[in-house]
Amino acid sequence: MCLSTSAIDAKLYLNLFFLRTQYLRHVSFVDCPGHDTLMATMLNGAVIMDGALLLIAANESCPQPQTSEHLVAIEIMQLKHLIILQNKVDLVQENVAINQREAIKNFIQNTVADGAHVIPVSAHLKYNIDVLCEYIVKKIPIPKRNFISPPNMIVIRSFDVNKPGFEVDEIRGGVAGGSILKVHCFFFSSFF
């Protein structure tokens, strides 16, 4: 179905949109797969995260193996700011969602996630997305960053560009990939 609107309606909508919208902060999301084969990559990526969103599907039992792995990763990385999303609540009856919420609370008891807020959401229906945004802004603080110290980079992976059989004194370089934790105005892109 196609909908149309007059220019006046569109202008009124845009004015209302801009009047009600205010920039609060910039947030980046990184999807961290929890499959056992990708666990090392996820743990390395989590080093630079200020907080985490743990998604648990309301139409599945809790905990799923992958959810348990994510919780272990959160504990290993000592992430202190966690929000749990009970997603897909539109696919289950209210009593099922309430029972699963209790299962989530029992699952996180005595872990680093104990006391984390559990927000029921439906991404499809945009249910409680505004609540999620408010929690991100208010419950995950912006850490103090030092932008004048020397750069500090965590190398997640490296690739040798030399052919097999090279002697140690003949090695000429490599490619490193990682995350920059500290930035300095004199950053060099060559590491070797």
Side-chain angles (χ1 to χ4, degrees), residues 61-128:
S61 62
C62 176
Q64 292 288 309
Q66 188 171 340
T67 308
S68 297
E69 291 171 359
H70 274 105
L71 188 57
V72 168
I74 290 167
E75 289 190 335
I76 289 170
M77 297 314 301
Q78 299 176 0
L79 284 172
K80 296 179 179 110
H81 307 291
L82 175 68
I83 300 171
I84 299 173
L85 302 179
Q86 184 185 19
N87 194 22
K88 301 181 182 180
V89 294
D90 56 314
L91 300 180
V92 297
Q93 294 179 356
E94 184 179 354
N95 64 327
V96 173
I98 291 170
N99 289 339
Q100 192 210 35
R101 179 184 175 90
E102 291 305 313
I104 292 170
K105 290 290 192 180
N106 290 335
F107 168 62
I108 64 172
Q109 194 171 20
N110 299 320
T111 69
V112 71
D114 200 355
H117 298 280
V118 180
I119 304 174
V121 297
S122 169
H124 180 72
L125 298 177
K126 298 182 177 114
Y127 173 71
N128 273 350

Side-chain angles (χ1 to χ4, degrees), residues 123-143:
H124 180 72
L125 298 177
K126 298 182 177 114
Y127 173 71
N128 273 350
I129 301 303
D130 55 338
V131 174
L132 169 60
C133 291
E134 184 177 339
Y135 268 72
I136 290 171
V137 170
K138 292 184 177 179
K139 302 293 182 187
I140 301 178
I142 300 171

Side-chain angles (χ1 to χ4, degrees), residues 153-166:
M153 179 175 179
I154 294 178
V155 176
I156 295 175
R157 56 189 172 183
S158 63
F159 304 96
D160 186 3
V161 295
N162 299 290
K163 294 182 181 174
F166 268 74

